[in-house]
Amino acid sequence: MAKLDLNKISLTTGIYGGVLYVACYLLFLAIPGFMVSVTKNIFHGIQMTNQFIPSFGGFLLGLVYTFVGSLLLGGLFVLVYNIVNKN
């Protein structure tokens, strides 16, 4: 099998993470009570009530963090895949 392209996969996962982040943010703006409930369930009871204060600066910072984190995870995936897939 061919090696995966590090740049293409990393960029794809970065964009995908960014799109999911925007979708989640928009859902929070549309139905905040439900999204806070979902988040509490995901994070097993951590008190996050005071942390959900939407701001444009926070949105942009979160988008950058999510994009970069997804980019790095995609790159790590490619590196591990290519090592495991050596023939």
Side-chain angles (χ1 to χ4, degrees):
M1 295 188 102
K3 285 185 157 189
L4 295 178
D5 186 313
L6 180 65
N7 294 331
K8 288 180 182 177
I9 301 291
S10 296
L11 187 58
T12 299
T13 57
I15 292 170
Y16 183 72
V19 168
L20 285 179
Y21 178 83
V22 170
C24 187
Y25 190 83
L26 292 175
L27 280 171
F28 174 74
L29 292 177
I31 45 175
F34 176 73
M35 292 304 288
V36 168
S37 174
V38 167
T39 303
K40 283 181 182 178
N41 290 329
I42 290 172
F43 291 105
H44 306 290
I46 295 173
Q47 282 295 72
M48 300 185 124
T49 307
N50 296 333
Q51 296 176 359
F52 286 103
I53 303 169
S55 69
F56 187 69
F59 167 76
L60 288 179
L61 189 59
L63 183 59
V64 169
Y65 286 161
T66 302
F67 176 77
V68 171
S70 299
L71 193 80
L72 293 172
L73 284 173
L76 181 62
F77 173 82
V78 169
L79 292 174
V80 171
Y81 178 87
N82 286 340
I83 289 170
V84 170
N85 193 38
K86 282 188 176 179
N87 291 327

